[in-house]
């Protein structure tokens, strides 16, 4: 019988897998939770039209100017996207020249303005301007938050931390879907004005990211920043792994500084073309799958779908199921990987929307659907659950992973800007399409987009789980 020494037994035990709950990840997690105060607040503004637009269009509208029209309702949704397009570019410039921390802190400014306008506004034009500032906030969230997380996160938990972004957006959705139906119109902005103030106070104590400090030549501060985010309180606690990681960061920034300025030629390499294509594709799938528009107009969709279920209750159910999808993605993404979740998400959303469209078509055609009024709620819940495990969250952190290091920041900005432009098209057209070709025609278009997306994901999207962002690629 073979005899094993203790040393051999220890060598045979595989290293324990790193998880988000490890002690060295504590400060990363707490930092991400702090910045997601503004992310959750942005989620409130995204979902605000769902319960509020039906109120604004009703005779009981809180606006002294009277009920708004379908056209005005579409602009309430779409002006957010106009602000998002400008905000993405604006905050990309801010974080490039002044750092991620300054970019994060400034996101709170338009957020304070938008809720003040909602509070004091007495006609739809105040709401348009408020929604524009909401878009500026969203532009900051999509352009700064994913890059901040990529800067501070250990590569083994980067996907998990990235998944928290959409979880907190949907926590904001759940809040507004609940509060919007049960709280008076002017109480919500009073509550929401607290969030950006708390965000400013808590985030101001976080250090700048190590990458930003290294780019400014502040080597000692960068090392202390990485020690903070790796929860190393004393220099004697620094491990070989920490030293290796910091050296990789420093060498990466050094190589980056020695590169020439970004020029058109940089975008012509195979890696750059593939990265840009993937970035634009995942953002297009995110929007043209209709998820953002559905979240914006969920209250109206439930009214038009003839569910027979109280829309306010249905909204809460859908938001809760949406968060369940987010939590599922959060739990498994760094084990399963990006590609498989994106594939399952696109296929599942396409089928669920096809079912929702079929129900709507049969209802419009005059078929008796008594007894299955719950089907649209189930289909929409499945749509949002399956979207939450891939389509709605993976695009925001897969882009930095597929872009060449030199083009990572500008590639993320291009993708996020196009996302906002595509969101404008979808959010502006969705209520008009629902009036002209009904719900079934509208969601069938989105279902077709998901079907195309499945084939693109299978053949063209690489797996980026655990990719080292500190490695310069050869171009």
């Amino acid at each position: 019988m073979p005899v094993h020494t203790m040393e051999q037994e220890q060598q045979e035990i595989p290293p324990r897998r790193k998880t988000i709950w490890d002690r060295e990840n504590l400060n990363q997690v707490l930092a991400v939770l702090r910045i997601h105060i503004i992310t959750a607040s942005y989620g409130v503004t995204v979902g605000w039209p769902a319960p509020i637009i039906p109120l604004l269009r009703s005779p009981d509208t809180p606006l002294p100017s009277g009920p708004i029209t379908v056209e005005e309702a579409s602009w309430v949704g779409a002006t957010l996207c106009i602000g998002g397009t400008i905000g993405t570019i604006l905050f990309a410039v801010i974080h490039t020249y002044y750092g991620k921390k300054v970019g994060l802190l400034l996101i709170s400014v338009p957020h304070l303005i938008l809720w003040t306008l909602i509070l004091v506004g007495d006609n739809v034009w105040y709401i348009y301007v408020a929604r524009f500032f909401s878009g500026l906030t969203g532009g900051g969230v999509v352009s700064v938050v994913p890059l901040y997380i990529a800067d501070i996160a250990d590569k083994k938990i980067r996907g998990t931390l990235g998944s928290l972004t959409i979880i907190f957006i949907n926590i904001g959705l759940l809040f507004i879907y609940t509060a919007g139906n049960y709280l008076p119109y002017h109480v919500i902005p009073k509550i929401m004005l607290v969030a950006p103030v708390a965000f400013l106070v808590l985030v101001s104590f976080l250090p700048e990211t190590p990458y930003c400090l290294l780019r400014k030549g502040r080597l000692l501060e960068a090392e202390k920043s990485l020690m903070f985010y790796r929860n190393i309180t004393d220099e004697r606690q620094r491990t070989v792994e920490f030293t290796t990681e910091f050296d990789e960061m420093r060498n990466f920034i050094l190589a980056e500084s020695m590169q020439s300025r970004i020029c058109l030629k940089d975008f012509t390499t195979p890696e750059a073309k593939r990265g840009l294509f993937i970035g634009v594709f995942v953002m297009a799938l995110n929007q043209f799958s209709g998820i953002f528009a559905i979240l914006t107009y969920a209250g109206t969709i439930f009214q038009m779908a003839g569910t027979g279920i109280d829309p306010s209750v249905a909204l809460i159910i859908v938001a809760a199921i949406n968060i369940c999808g987010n939590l599922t993605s959060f739990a498994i993404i760094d084990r399963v990987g990006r590609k498989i979740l994106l594939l399952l998400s696109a296929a599942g959303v396409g089928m669920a929307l096809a079912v929702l469209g079929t129900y709507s078509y049969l209802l419009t055609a005059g078929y008796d659907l008594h007894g299955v009024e719950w089907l649209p709620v189930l289909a929409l819940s499945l749509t949002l659950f399956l979207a939450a495990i891939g389509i709605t969250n993976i695009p925001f952190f897969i882009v930095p992973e597929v872009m060449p290091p030199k083009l990572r920041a500008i590639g993320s900005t291009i993708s996020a800007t196009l996302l906002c432009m595509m969101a404008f098209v979808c959010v502006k057209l969705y209520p008009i399409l629902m009036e002209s070709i009904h719900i079934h025609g509208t969601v069938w278009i989105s279902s077709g987009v998901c079907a195309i997306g499945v084939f693109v994901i299978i053949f063209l999207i690489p797996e980026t789980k655990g990719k080292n962002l500190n490695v310069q690629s050869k171009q």
Side-chain angles (χ1 to χ4, degrees):
M1 183 174 181
V3 178
H4 294 274
T5 66
M6 184 177 293
E7 183 178 336
Q8 287 174 323
E9 289 177 354
Q10 289 176 344
Q11 289 174 348
E12 290 173 3
I13 299 174
R16 189 177 67 85
R17 182 185 180 87
K18 276 195 173 185
T19 72
I20 194 173
W21 311 116
D22 291 344
R23 179 183 174 278
E24 61 263 32
N25 298 326
L26 177 63
N27 284 349
Q28 294 175 57
V29 175
L30 292 178
V32 171
L33 291 177
R34 290 189 204 185
I35 68 170
H36 283 326
I37 294 172
I38 205 70
T39 307
S41 301
Y42 172 62
V44 174
T45 69
V46 170
W48 185 81
I52 300 300
I53 282 180
L55 174 64
L56 296 177
R57 293 190 63 192
S58 73
D60 298 323
T61 178
L63 299 179
S65 56
I68 65 173
T69 65
V70 173
E71 178 68 17
E72 288 172 332
S74 72
W75 279 110
V76 169
T79 44
L80 177 143
C81 306
I82 298 173
T85 303
I86 297 172
T88 301
I89 299 170
L90 174 64
F91 280 96
V93 172
I94 291 171
H95 80 67
T96 299
Y97 289 98
Y98 300 102
K100 304 291 192 307
K101 182 177 177 179
V102 173
L104 285 172
L105 291 172
L106 289 178
I107 294 174
S108 62
V109 176
H111 211 65
L112 283 165
I113 296 172
L114 82 91
W115 287 114
T116 302
L117 289 170
I118 294 291
L119 182 63
V120 303
D122 59 2
N123 63 62
V124 74
W125 286 97
Y126 279 88
I127 297 176
Y128 290 159
V129 178
R131 296 289 290 168
F132 173 83
F133 278 101
S134 174
L136 291 181
T137 301
V141 168
V142 300
S143 65
V144 182
V145 170
L147 291 175
Y148 172 84
I149 294 173
D151 271 12
I152 71 164
D154 186 295
K155 65 183 179 182
K156 294 182 177 64
I157 61 167
R158 190 171 60 235
T160 304
L161 289 179
S163 296
L164 282 172
T165 302
I166 198 67
I167 289 176
F168 276 87
I169 287 176
N170 284 309
I171 287 173
L173 283 172
L174 178 60
F175 170 79
I176 192 60
Y177 282 179
T178 305
N181 285 298
Y182 297 106
L183 292 180
Y185 177 81
H186 288 101
V187 170
I188 295 171
K190 292 177 182 178
I191 295 172
M192 293 309 303
L193 282 168
V194 176
V197 176
F199 171 81
L200 271 171
V201 172
L202 292 173
V203 174
S204 63
F205 290 102
L206 291 175
E208 180 59 274
T209 71
Y211 283 100
C212 289
L213 292 168
L214 284 170
R215 288 189 178 97
K216 296 176 182 178
R218 292 152 65 177
L219 190 63
L220 184 59
E221 290 179 59
E223 189 173 20
K224 288 183 178 178
S225 173
L226 186 61
M227 287 175 63
F228 171 82
Y229 288 116
R230 297 299 176 265
N231 200 23
I232 297 174
T233 56
D234 191 289
E235 290 190 3
R236 291 171 294 182
Q237 297 175 352
R238 289 187 297 185
T239 62
V240 174
E241 185 180 11
F242 172 85
T243 304
T244 301
E245 183 180 13
F246 185 72
D247 287 342
E248 283 182 353
M249 283 187 176
R250 186 170 53 184
N251 293 335
F252 174 83
I253 297 299
L254 180 62
E256 183 183 69
S257 66
M258 294 174 67
Q259 290 177 339
S260 59
R261 286 180 174 272
I262 294 174
C263 61
L264 186 61
K265 184 181 178 182
D266 294 317
F267 292 91
T268 62
T269 65
E271 187 184 14
K273 289 178 181 178
R274 186 180 69 165
L276 282 172
F277 170 80
I278 292 171
V280 173
F281 164 76
V282 294
M283 294 304 182
L285 182 62
N286 177 286
Q287 285 305 312
F288 292 122
S289 62
I291 303 303
F292 187 73
I294 288 170
L295 290 172
T296 302
Y297 301 117
T300 304
I301 290 172
F302 278 121
Q303 285 184 341
M304 296 178 67
T307 61
I309 300 174
D310 183 352
S312 62
V313 175
L315 282 175
I316 296 170
I317 293 171
V318 164
I321 291 174
N322 200 18
I323 291 176
C324 290
N326 300 148
L327 293 174
T328 301
S329 176
F330 172 79
I332 66 176
I333 190 166
D334 277 319
R335 296 186 180 186
V336 176
R338 282 65 155 148
K339 181 170 182 172
I340 187 65
L341 286 183
L342 202 57
L343 180 61
L344 290 173
S345 180
V349 168
M351 289 188 284
L353 287 176
V355 171
L356 178 62
T358 301
Y359 178 94
S360 172
Y361 174 77
L362 294 175
L363 186 68
T364 304
Y367 286 86
D368 182 10
L369 300 177
H370 180 70
V372 291
E373 295 90 345
W374 47 266
L375 188 59
V377 178
L378 176 62
L380 200 54
S381 298
L382 284 173
T383 295
L384 296 178
F385 176 86
L386 292 166
I389 69 172
I391 288 175
T392 58
N393 68 327
I394 290 178
F396 293 103
F397 58 87
I398 198 176
V399 174
E401 295 177 335
V402 297
M403 289 299 299
K406 186 177 181 180
L407 302 179
R408 189 169 293 149
I410 192 170
S412 297
T413 301
I414 291 170
S415 299
T417 303
L418 290 174
L419 171 78
C420 295
M421 292 179 177
M422 291 182 282
F424 171 79
V425 173
C426 289
V427 174
K428 184 70 176 71
L429 289 180
Y430 239 71
I432 298 171
L433 288 174
M434 287 191 294
E435 289 282 339
S436 59
I437 61 174
H438 307 290
I439 290 178
H440 56 268
T442 308
V443 299
W444 278 342
I445 292 172
S446 294
S447 179
V449 170
C450 290
I452 295 170
V454 166
F455 289 99
V456 175
I457 293 166
I458 291 173
F459 295 108
L460 296 176
I461 303 295
E463 179 56 70
T464 58
K465 179 180 68 173
K467 182 177 179 181
N468 190 347
L469 299 186
N470 294 326
V471 177
Q472 288 284 358
S473 57
K474 296 178 181 179
Q475 297 187 25

